[in-house]
Amino acid sequence: MAATSATTDTVAAAAAGGGPAGPSARRRWTGALDGALTVGRRLAGAAVSLLAVSVTGFFLFRVIPGDPVRTMTRGQATSAAQIAQLTKEFGLGEPLPRQFLRYLGGLLHGDLGLSYQYRTPVSELIARHIGPTVLLVGTALAIAVALGLGLGTRAGWRPGGAGDRIGTGIALTLWSVPTFWLGLLLIVGLAVGVRGLPGLFPTGGLDSGDGATGWAHAGDVAYHMVLPVTTLVAVTYAQFLLVMRSSLLDERGADYLTTARAKGLRDDLVRRRHAVPNAILPTVTLIFVNLGEVVAGQILVETVFSWPGLGSLFYEALRVPDLPLLQGLFLFFAAAVILANLAADLVYPLLDPRVRAG
């Protein structure tokens, strides 16, 4: 009876928050509730952003000059009746509010519409072109991150040295160069050839189209990726370098690094084991933001190098203008960036306990 009475008192005290387990249990529940509310707020913010992008995408492309029907029938013998039939088929003669409601209704059912020029569902076109885009931009992002973090670490650990000045200067110069212009320079210098020198790389395209399979085809694709990947890396790695350099400069004077040196650790071990893991956290957000662009594509680079990805598809849609395709791609690009930012918001507290502590 005495034991039963003691157990009952302990449970009652814990339930009332006065027992030994009360404060810790209350902290766990409070932390879980705060975490759930934070995730809910982030998801709600992402949903509102997607809704705003959907509405903006519809009205934004309505102000583009040009008649899709006239553009698609240009150079062809087309009667007025045929033009009227196409206009009716595309729904362009309907009042704008009715077009908008039809567009929203399609989105609610996961229907992005039918492309004017390809006569194919927009979702199928996106699925068909996303592979080359992910391959190209994903490869370039991986190289840019590795290059930027490596150079930024060396520059931030020894600021003001020759490596820092030269590396940072080159990175800033390339970052300021227009992407399409750098791509054209590489085509002229390394693909077309200069002063009788033959070109080393193809001017564009995904492959040679010679029907190669297996490793031969993979090598051919990698060969065609050299110039566009070089262009993307050259204009993007500077942002990772600068963020890593700045973050490492902030960490250099931290007390924990002084303690590590006092223990007798070599300078490179202090940098690699203690400074870099803390300094790399601010670059996580930047990497996630750029992950959104992996599926959003690079319109200028893909267009200059005739890369059959989503960027080239967007350029082709813009020339008509192919309104359903433009709206679908715009929504897809924006959704990729919003989801990447959402992932960064959710992952960052797991990497940095200071964010969880508020």
Side-chain angles (χ1 to χ4, degrees):
M1 283 299 290
T4 304
S5 177
T7 304
T8 304
D9 293 344
T10 303
V11 171
S24 60
R26 194 162 51 243
R27 281 197 296 272
R28 285 198 298 273
W29 278 108
T30 303
L33 181 61
D34 289 343
L37 290 175
T38 301
V39 172
R41 283 195 295 268
R42 297 285 190 272
L43 291 175
V48 172
S49 299
L50 278 175
L51 178 61
V53 167
S54 303
V55 175
T56 303
F58 176 83
F59 291 102
L60 176 66
F61 296 113
R62 258 55 184 188
V63 301
I64 296 178
D67 184 345
V69 176
R70 296 285 181 185
T71 304
M72 293 174 60
T73 57
R74 186 175 300 154
Q76 303 176 20
T78 310
S79 64
Q82 290 173 317
I83 292 178
Q85 177 62 30
L86 282 175
T87 302
K88 181 180 179 182
E89 183 179 341
F90 293 161
L92 296 173
E94 298 178 351
L96 197 59
R98 182 178 298 177
Q99 294 184 40
F100 180 62
L101 291 178
R102 184 157 48 85
Y103 163 73
L104 284 184
L107 287 184
L108 291 177
H109 291 85
D111 182 10
L112 296 178
L114 191 70
S115 167
Y116 292 163
Q117 54 181 332
Y118 297 103
R119 311 301 297 158
T120 304
V122 172
S123 55
E124 288 187 20
L125 291 172
I126 292 176
R128 193 180 302 167
H129 289 78
I130 193 173
T133 291
V134 171
L135 176 64
L136 176 68
V137 186
T139 303
L141 177 62
I143 297 175
V145 169
L147 183 63
L149 294 184
L151 294 177
T153 299
R154 293 186 175 280
W157 198 246
R158 291 185 174 81
D164 178 26
R165 293 198 300 271
I166 295 174
T168 305
I170 292 175
L172 287 175
T173 302
L174 290 174
W175 198 13
S176 63
V177 174
T179 308
F180 74 94
W181 188 68
L182 180 60
L184 291 175
L185 285 181
L186 291 178
I187 289 177
V188 172
L190 298 177
V192 177
V194 179
R195 295 181 179 276
L197 296 175
L200 300 176
F201 300 99
T203 56
L206 178 65
D207 52 32
S208 301
D210 55 1
T213 58
W215 287 107
H217 182 253
D220 188 32
V221 172
Y223 182 52
H224 282 73
M225 288 174 59
V226 171
L227 292 186
V229 166
T230 301
T231 304
L232 287 173
V233 171
V235 297
T236 56
Y237 85 94
Q239 53 187 321
F240 301 105
L241 184 154
L242 295 177
V243 171
M244 188 64 191
R245 179 183 182 276
S246 174
S247 182
L248 201 57
L249 282 174
D250 292 338
E251 297 291 334
R252 284 182 74 244
D255 294 337
Y256 69 92
L257 295 184
T258 304
T259 303
R261 292 190 182 94
K263 291 179 179 178
L265 290 179
R266 298 196 310 273
D267 189 63
D268 62 329
L269 290 179
V270 173
R271 182 192 65 199
R272 192 169 64 249
R273 292 182 181 178
H274 298 279
V276 170
N278 288 287
I280 203 172
L281 289 175
T283 63
V284 171
T285 303
L286 186 60
I287 292 173
F288 272 98
V289 170
N290 281 271
L291 277 179
E293 296 181 0
V294 170
V295 294
Q298 293 286 340
I299 297 174
L300 293 178
V301 173
E302 290 187 10
T303 303
V304 168
F305 290 98
S306 303
W307 190 261
L310 294 177
S312 294
L313 188 63
F314 189 88
Y315 174 74
E316 292 297 329
L318 203 56
R319 295 175 59 184
V320 174
D322 190 338
L323 296 177
L325 187 53
L326 286 172
Q327 292 164 180
L329 286 171
F330 182 75
L331 180 61
F332 184 77
F333 294 165
V337 175
I338 290 172
L339 292 178
N341 278 280
L342 175 64
D345 287 341
L346 298 179
V347 168
Y348 201 84
L350 302 178
L351 301 176
D352 191 349
R354 294 170 295 184
V355 177
R356 289 201 300 270

